[in-house]
Amino acid sequence: MTKLKYTTVIKGHYILKGNFSGPTPELVELIEDVLKKIKNKTEFNFNKEVLNIVVESNEDETFAYEVFMQIKNKLRDTLKTKKIGLKNITVDSAELKIPAEDLSLERIKDIKIEYVSDIKFENNNVILIINNLDEWFLKNQFLRNIPNVFFEKIEKLKEAGKKEFWELIWTSKNKCDCRFTLDPTVEALKKGWLKKYPMQGVYFFTPKLTAIFRAIENLILDEILNKLEFKEAIFPKQIPFEIWKKTGHLTGVPAEVFYLSPAKTRDISIFDDINDIIKITNTIPIEKYPSRLREPIGGYCYAQCPPFYWFFEKEIIPENVLPIKWYDKSGPSFRWESGGLHGFERLNEFHRIELVWLDSIEGVISIRNKLMECYKHIFDNILKLEWRMARVTPWYYAQSGKITATELIKEKGTIDYESYLPYRGPRESSEWLEFQNISIHGDKFVKTFKIKCNKDVELWTGCSGIGLERWAVTIISQYGMDLEQWPSNFQPYLKEAKQIIETKLITWP
Ligand code: SER
Ligand code: ZN
């Protein structure tokens, strides 16, 4: 990150007591002498027994607060000789002066920053004013982080309205014959392959559709996971905030994650009144729940791979166990998607096989390339899909709130795999479905989680998320609901799915 240029101004005061009888010329001279020895720009004035001090510091000089305290110590020693004491040493406010450059009041007027009480323009500087400063805030030098937050918010404003980065890199030779042009969700609902569940973006998948997911999984097992020797692991699905703080999710997608709040105590009696209401009125007093729940202890799995980086946090990996290639398919991911009607290609609870690998730089790139070959083989020769690849904003930026960031080095970043869905309209103008992705994160997670190798090997990581529902929607959209019509090379995997007779009830589907 480039160092930001700004000036910190601390305005504070000391109260003089003891032998103090007003700002005599002798006293003023003493104070001037003390301040002269300070490298920083300083000012002072008196208001009765209050000595107001202003200290400036550029970001690369001593922090203004430290200087403010140094002045206090020096003054205390000097004034002692005159039997004058100092008390109530208080910082009244801090100002951060940032050169305005291409900023204007118009551009920044909507910016609000926690701890910053006012933002002003003065002599070609933006001035961030911070009142109510306590020792904890000053001693930890948290002021230094405020300009970064300010510029991040400016970047966000610039990004608003911009399109996400998207660069087509490959389109399949296969073209879908569009023998089927219906919406898979509508047709699957009609056939009773799934049932809308009373939770936003959640479906119940019947054995028929589940067997299709398993067929996809088995294909992936044969053609990718076993071939490339990925080992299965079970990644936890409850994510502590500390992990999300490191991956960026905590501040990047706080409005999209599901939070985990258990009850305040295991003592059921805290629910007595709620239970009575339910039993007496047969209604559920939802509004009474929050006061019985704890503050969130974390959130539900969103990106699936973060626990992998936690596993290796601060560990030293012997070179001979590299590469580490693990995958997890043990449970769903949860995202609070925008409301409205979506098919089962866009869910609040979805299933994904997540592949994660850790190796030297060359190793990580080589694994990514091998995976891409396997994917290509599956989509071109087995599933015979119409698909394409695009370089997009890396997910680890997008999910930490940086919409338009791209990786400058070709090897790093995220590639999205998209499929053509005939029911959405012409291939040229309709929205294709992002059904999986593959990424190299460079040293992003290795650095944040302090993962090291015992030899002098620079480590990188990569991950790839395979969306089961989205693969199914892709295949159904291009081939229809009749499994016999699906590509011949996929037929061996479909034996079980084909045998499953759809459940028909008198009242459903
Ligand atoms: N973890 C990656 C993502 O969330 C791949 O699944 O997109
Ligand atoms: Zn991942």
Side-chain angles (χ1 to χ4, degrees), residues 154-216:
I154 288 182
E155 284 306 306
K156 263 261 161 64
L157 284 179
K158 276 194 211 158
E159 284 187 345
K162 268 195 198 169
K163 275 198 179 156
E164 272 193 48
F165 170 69
W166 187 92
E167 182 188 80
L168 185 67
I169 53 173
W170 199 83
T171 309
S172 67
K173 286 201 188 73
N174 289 339
K175 291 279 171 279
C176 174
D177 61 10
C178 299
R179 63 178 85 166
F180 184 81
T181 53
L182 302 174
D183 179 340
T185 305
V186 175
E187 298 314 302
L189 281 168
K190 274 191 213 158
K191 278 199 164 245
W193 285 12
L194 42 62
K195 190 176 188 181
K196 182 72 193 70
Y197 188 71
M199 276 295 226
Q200 183 183 305
V202 184
Y203 286 89
F204 185 112
F205 301 119
T206 63
K208 186 83 177 174
L209 192 48
T210 306
I212 292 170
F213 294 151
R214 295 290 172 251
I216 293 172

Side-chain angles (χ1 to χ4, degrees), residues 302-305 335 352 354 395 399 437 463-465:
Y302 180 98
Q304 207 162 339
C305 55
R335 294 186 182 183
R352 162 174 58 183
E354 177 84 1
W395 69 262
Q399 295 176 18
N437 65 14
C463 80
S464 180

